[in-house]
Amino acid sequence: MSTIDLSKKVLIITLLIFAVLTAAFTFTHNMQLSNFLELEQADTLENVERVQNAVSTRQGYIDYIVQDWACWDDTYQFIEDGNQQYIDVDLQNETLAGIRVNVMLFVNESGDVVYTKSVDINSTEERPVPAGLLKMIEEGTLLTTGENDTISGIVLLDEGPMFIACHPILTTKYEGPSKGTLIFGRFFDNYLLESFKDTTRSSLSMYRTDQEMPSDFQEEFQKFSETPDMILVEPLSEERVAGYFELRDISDQPALIIRADFPRELYLHGERTLNYMYLFLLFTGLLTGIGVKFALDRLFISRLVEIDDFVTKVRSEKDLSKRLSLKDNDELYRLSREINGMLNEIDLAEQGVKAQEREKKVLLDSLNELVVFVNPEMKIIWANKAALKYMQMDLEKAVGLFLKAAPDISGQLVEYTQLEQAFVTGEKKSGEFTSKDGRIWFFQAIPVADENGKIIGVMETRRDVTESKKAEQLLREKHIAEAANRTKSEFLANMSHELRTPLNSIIGFSDLLYEKVYGELNVKQIKAVGNISRSGKHLLNLINDILDLSKVEAGKLELDYKDFELASKLNSIKNMLSPIADKKMIKVEIQVDKNLATIRADDARFVQILYNLLDNAIKFSHENGLVKIEAKKKGELVEVTVKDYGIGIKVEDQNKLFKPFSQVDSFFSKQFQGTGLGLALVKQLVNLHGGYVWFSSKIEEGSTFAFTLPINRDDRNGDNGEIKSLNRAETAENPDF
């Protein structure tokens, strides 16, 4: 164990103790915090119950008032005769405002409304009776059915929620029979809610259940469906806590949800106290740990580090003359003394070893080849620097290693050279050998004899000649490929000429037959002759492309440079392909840089280049699609792009582009007519003009093919072109894409 590791372990133990204490403090802190949460919840429940009591008190007051009015002889008589004096004296607006009632309804035993009164309590102005109350009376919801039957609770009206109290109309002595039902109502409006806030010293919020509510009210409303008549306590924020309770209507259905929120003084005070205690304990533990660590470092670790640094320095500098200073008569003192004695012995042994190794090292390092010397037991005696580097080991590990077990230099070569026979015959062996990893080696096995002629070992040398062999092979293959390519191009050119003569006759005579020059033809004959003509023309185009491609590859195609107007040429190519585009209802747009008027190039080859690109764009576009042709000036070059929004090209198929007779997918080759020569010819023709071509494509988003040509050029240069496939990163950096 090194002293540095010991210091780390002491630090880890100190940190572990501190972590355990921290975990214990945290656990205690959380337990106490949960107790404060329980106290806060109990306090909140108590405060919310005060709000509930205030609401219940208001409902009880209305119940008491309606009972007092319903059990009154004057009211009993008014239901029977509807005397005006009762109305004039007792049913004034100020009377309703004085008893804090918004609505008063008198209904006889038949369910007919005898008299109604609705006022604004604050202004004493008369208001229309809520239509919802009248509808409930018609439905019988608010009518009592007996002398002891009462109705009390909340009803939800369009004008707002209302406290309702219904009582049977009896005599002052509470005797019947009941003459009907007296209904009192008080709106649960903001004024009443504010009075509850003042009474309970709470912050209150109220929402109806039949209307949209804030998210926290909606969550609590869902919980009330599972636990009705419960008070739910939830923290609103770090500073406030809220209690929720629901009020049910006279049908025992949820009507209102009220939230009372209060400052979290109890919890926050407890949390601050616990945090102070927690930080104090952590700070105390941290100081204790630092003190213990400092003491251990001072008394023990620093001395061990000093010994470790000394040993490391001796080993790195290989200076065995250094000695460790001695102090304090303890175990570390005795350890230092033993280290000094060991250094003395090692120093003496090292001097002898260095003398022996010096001669071998000079010999080994003077050779460039891999050199290994083995004894008759086929064990390595020594190896030069190159061999040791190849085996990835030092000399100490290599000496004594069985040759067949040596990494990278054994195996088949040992069996091939048969070094054992060299010890018997004493003959030198040399040759070339190919290893399993494909490397080619030139090797020699040279027996080494002592002064008496006895073979004491074999020196094996090896030199890697792989790269030189590859260079020779590539040169031979290059000459063969160039010869084959020239032969192919000449053959294709000759065959194309030989095929065009009879093919032109076939096309000419089939067109004459199709035009009925030699007489009338029936429908089937006309169709067959048309197919012959179209197939012949397609084959002629293919032969022309092959001939052009062969001429380019053979270096026989010459460009006829002339000036032409770029925009006019682009429009003419568009018109040539308009029947194909119109068939798929594809729109072709052309945009030419206003700084571009004319360019100098081979106009026929320019048409051939753009025709192929535009034909491909239309061919692989969806119906009702769009193809854009754009020409820009880029310094001394014109850049032409053809962009479609069609099927796109897969990444794995993009390397097939611009290769003769190659199409990106066998499915597309069946669905779309083509030979795979168009893009290959485009690339060659652009290169001949001294330009280059590139593309970008993405599946189902379309493809963009572009090329550049010198605006004014009158010589031929076909070696400067190149093809670029822009990946996403390159496309993002290129503003043209």
Side-chain angles (χ1 to χ4, degrees):
M1 177 181 62
S2 68
T3 56
I4 295 178
D5 291 337
L6 179 61
S7 178
K8 288 182 179 179
K9 288 184 178 180
V10 171
L11 178 60
I12 290 172
I13 293 172
T14 304
L15 293 177
L16 182 61
I17 295 173
F18 181 76
V20 171
L21 291 175
T22 303
F25 296 159
T26 304
F27 178 76
T28 305
H29 175 272
N30 291 337
M31 285 186 60
Q32 294 299 324
L33 204 59
S34 64
N35 292 335
F36 279 108
L37 282 173
E38 293 176 1
L39 290 175
E40 180 189 61
Q41 186 170 20
D43 182 69
T44 304
L45 288 173
E46 183 179 348
N47 292 330
V48 174
E49 286 175 356
R50 287 194 293 108
V51 178
Q52 285 183 316
N53 292 336
V55 175
S56 299
T57 300
R58 176 59 59 180
Q59 181 67 58
Y61 167 77
I62 298 176
D63 293 342
Y64 170 78
I65 292 297
V66 76
Q67 177 183 338
D68 185 56
W69 279 67
C71 298
W72 185 20
D73 290 341
D74 289 353
T75 305
Y76 198 83
Q77 184 64 34
F78 174 71
I79 290 297
E80 290 183 340
D81 58 15
N83 63 85
Q84 185 65 33
Q85 182 180 0
Y86 181 88
I87 297 173
D88 296 338
V89 175
D90 298 317
L91 301 181
Q92 296 301 309
N93 293 351
E94 291 77 10
T95 304
L96 273 68
I99 62 175
R100 315 305 292 173
V101 172
N102 292 101
V103 178
M104 186 181 288
L105 300 170
F106 296 81
V107 184
N108 62 23
E109 65 271 23
S110 301
D112 298 325
V113 177
V114 175
Y115 184 80
T116 64
K117 173 72 75 172
S118 176
V119 299
D120 186 330
I121 293 176
N122 298 320
S123 65
T124 70
E125 294 179 0
E126 194 162 342
R127 295 283 186 266
V129 177
L133 286 179
L134 298 177
K135 183 177 181 181
M136 290 182 182
I137 292 173
E138 292 178 1
E139 295 172 352
T141 305
L142 300 180
L143 301 180
T144 58
T145 59
E147 298 176 4
N148 298 319
D149 184 25
T150 60
I151 299 173
S152 177
I154 300 288
V155 295
L156 296 178
L157 304 175
D158 294 338
E159 295 79 1
M162 176 179 282
F163 288 102
I164 285 293
C166 306
H167 197 282
I169 299 175
L170 305 174
T171 66
T172 304
K173 296 181 179 180
Y174 297 91
E175 295 177 351
S178 172
K179 290 296 183 179
T181 303
L182 179 60
I183 303 170
F184 279 10
R186 168 66 191 271
F187 280 113
F188 196 168
D189 52 15
N190 291 333
Y191 178 85
L192 186 57
L193 187 64
E194 289 296 325
S195 69
F196 288 154
K197 292 181 181 179
D198 297 336
T199 302
T200 60
R201 296 179 181 178
S202 306
S203 176
L204 301 178
S205 301
M206 177 183 70
Y207 285 90
R208 298 171 54 146
T209 59
D210 61 346
Q211 295 179 356
E212 185 177 357
M213 298 181 290
S215 58
D216 60 325
F217 280 78
Q218 293 178 2
E219 292 176 3
E220 303 306 320
F221 179 63
Q222 296 296 328
K223 296 178 182 178
F224 282 131
S225 63
E226 300 174 359
T227 57
D229 300 326
M230 292 286 293
I231 297 176
L232 302 177
V233 178
E234 297 288 345
L236 284 180
S237 64
E238 293 182 359
E239 292 78 24
R240 301 192 70 82
V241 64
Y244 299 81
F245 66 92
E246 67 174 357
L247 295 178
R248 292 179 171 266
D249 61 15
I250 59 176
S251 302
D252 199 33
Q253 297 298 320
L256 299 173
I257 294 180
I258 298 178
R259 183 186 75 192
D261 54 279
F262 311 90
R264 304 183 69 179
E265 297 174 350
L266 178 63
Y267 174 79
L268 292 176
H269 178 73
E271 184 181 33
R272 282 194 297 270
T273 303
L274 288 175
N275 287 340
Y276 291 147
M277 293 179 60
Y278 180 76
L279 293 175
F280 174 76
L281 292 174
L282 286 181
F283 181 73
T284 303
L286 181 61
L287 287 181
T288 303
I290 293 174
V292 171
K293 177 67 170 58
F294 179 80
L296 289 174
D297 287 342
R298 181 78 174 176
L299 297 175
F300 302 103
I301 304 302
S302 60
R303 295 177 62 191
L304 289 173
V305 170
E306 183 180 354
I307 295 174
D308 178 76
D309 291 340
F310 172 79
V311 174
T312 303
K313 187 175 182 180
V314 169
R315 182 178 180 182
S316 62
E317 297 179 357
K318 301 186 183 303
D319 185 4
L320 300 178
S321 63
K322 295 182 180 294
R323 295 296 179 267
L324 187 63
S325 60
L326 304 176
K327 55 185 177 180
D328 296 333
N329 190 13
D330 55 10
E331 288 79 6
L332 295 179
Y333 165 82
R334 289 189 286 274
L335 176 62
S336 300
R337 186 181 61 190
E338 292 299 322
I339 290 175
N340 288 338
M342 182 177 61
L343 288 174
N344 290 330
E345 296 177 3
I346 294 174
D347 191 24
L348 294 175
E350 182 73 11
Q351 297 300 324
V353 172
K354 285 183 178 180
Q356 296 177 5
E357 294 295 328
R358 190 174 294 111
E359 296 179 359
K360 294 182 180 179
K361 183 175 179 59
V362 172
L363 177 62
L364 291 173
D365 292 341
S366 64
L367 300 175
N368 294 325
E369 294 88 351
L370 277 62
V371 180
V372 178
F373 191 77
V374 297
N375 60 16
E377 288 78 25
M378 300 298 293
K379 291 183 178 180
I380 297 175
I381 298 176
W382 50 258
N384 71 341
K385 187 175 182 180
L388 292 173
K389 182 179 179 181
Y390 190 76
M391 291 187 292
Q392 298 181 353
M393 63 172 55
D394 53 25
L395 185 60
E396 289 77 9
K397 292 182 179 180
V399 172
L401 185 65
F402 192 61
L403 183 60
K404 289 186 178 181
D408 297 327
I409 65 171
S410 58
Q412 293 180 331
L413 182 57
V414 176
E415 298 177 0
Y416 183 78
T417 56
Q418 297 180 353
L419 294 181
E420 294 88 346
Q421 294 184 5
F423 284 99
V424 177
T425 62
E427 295 179 355
K428 175 182 176 181
K429 290 190 175 183
S430 63
E432 291 183 354
F433 176 77
T434 302
S435 59
K436 290 183 178 180
D437 60 2
R439 292 190 178 186
I440 302 173
W441 299 88
F442 174 77
F443 70 90
Q444 285 183 320
I446 305 172
V448 179
D450 59 12
E451 56 185 12
N452 298 320
K454 181 181 179 182
I455 298 176
I456 59 173
V458 173
M459 185 174 67
E460 181 189 30
T461 63
R462 186 193 305 189
R463 185 172 69 254
D464 189 350
V465 295
T466 305
E467 295 303 323
S468 62
K469 293 293 183 180
K470 286 183 178 179
E472 295 174 2
Q473 180 65 22
L474 288 175
L475 185 59
R476 288 194 296 269
E477 292 176 354
K478 181 176 181 295
H479 293 323
I480 294 173
E482 290 175 349
N485 190 50
R486 285 194 298 272
T487 303
K488 178 204 71 173
S489 299
E490 293 174 359
F491 171 76
L492 290 175
N494 293 332
M495 287 301 298
S496 298
H497 282 295
E498 295 299 326
L499 289 172
R500 289 173 69 179
T501 300
L503 191 56
N504 284 326
S505 297
I506 293 173
I507 295 172
F509 284 113
S510 63
D511 288 342
L512 292 175
L513 290 173
Y514 188 80
E515 294 172 1
K516 302 178 183 179
V517 174
Y518 300 114
E520 293 295 327
L521 299 177
N522 58 37
V523 175
K524 289 185 178 181
Q525 290 171 336
I526 292 174
K527 183 177 181 181
V529 171
N531 288 336
I532 293 172
S533 178
R534 284 192 297 273
S535 299
K537 292 174 182 177
H538 176 68
L539 184 58
L540 181 60
N541 289 333
L542 173 60
I543 292 172
N544 288 335
D545 287 345
I546 293 174
L547 181 60
D548 289 340
L549 192 61
S550 300
K551 286 182 178 179
V552 173
E553 291 178 348
K556 296 180 179 180
L557 183 64
E558 296 182 358
L559 299 179
D560 182 14
Y561 283 87
K562 61 180 62 176
D563 295 328
F564 59 89
E565 186 180 2
L566 181 60
S568 174
K569 188 66 66 176
L570 294 178
N571 282 300
S572 66
I573 298 170
K574 172 186 174 181
N575 295 334
M576 291 169 62
L577 289 168
S578 59
I580 302 175
D582 294 342
K583 187 176 181 181
K584 297 179 69 175
M585 291 178 288
I586 293 173
K587 183 179 180 181
V588 179
E589 293 182 355
I590 297 177
Q591 183 176 354
V592 180
D593 193 333
K594 61 182 181 180
N595 295 323
L596 277 174
T598 61
I599 66 171
R600 185 171 182 80
D602 188 324
D603 63 340
R605 299 306 178 184
F606 180 85
V607 170
Q608 193 173 4
I609 292 169
L610 196 60
Y611 184 95
N612 278 309
L613 294 180
L614 183 57
D615 181 55
N616 283 346
I618 296 172
K619 185 187 304 180
F620 294 101
S621 291
H622 303 296
E623 290 188 357
N624 299 308
L626 174 66
V627 176
K628 293 182 178 180
I629 303 174
E630 185 176 3
K632 302 179 186 177
K633 185 177 182 181
K634 296 282 187 175
E636 298 299 324
L637 301 175
V638 57
E639 179 185 280
V640 182
T641 61
V642 180
K643 181 176 181 61
D644 66 74
Y645 300 89
I647 60 178
I649 305 170
K650 297 179 181 177
V651 175
E652 58 268 23
D653 290 333
Q654 292 181 7
N655 60 350
K656 300 178 182 178
L657 298 178
F658 301 99
K659 295 181 180 179
F661 304 102
S662 176
Q663 289 188 315
V664 296
D665 194 292
S666 59
F667 171 77
F668 291 147
S669 65
K670 295 178 182 178
Q671 187 177 4
F672 304 104
Q673 184 181 16
T675 61
L677 287 174
L679 288 180
L681 194 55
V682 165
K683 181 247 181 180
Q684 296 290 355
L685 293 176
V686 171
N687 287 353
L688 279 176
H689 280 82
Y692 58 91
V693 60
W694 70 94
F695 72 95
S696 66
S697 182
K698 193 171 183 181
I699 288 296
E700 295 303 328
E701 292 186 12
S703 303
T704 300
F705 284 79
F707 64 93
T708 62
L709 297 177
I711 296 177
N712 294 296
R713 185 181 177 90
D714 205 15
D715 59 336
R716 204 180 84 181
N717 188 353
D719 299 324
N720 296 329
E722 62 177 297
I723 300 171
K724 298 182 179 180
S725 174
L726 300 180
N727 57 29
R728 293 180 181 175
E730 294 172 327
T731 304
E733 294 173 358
N734 190 337
D736 297 330
F737 286 94

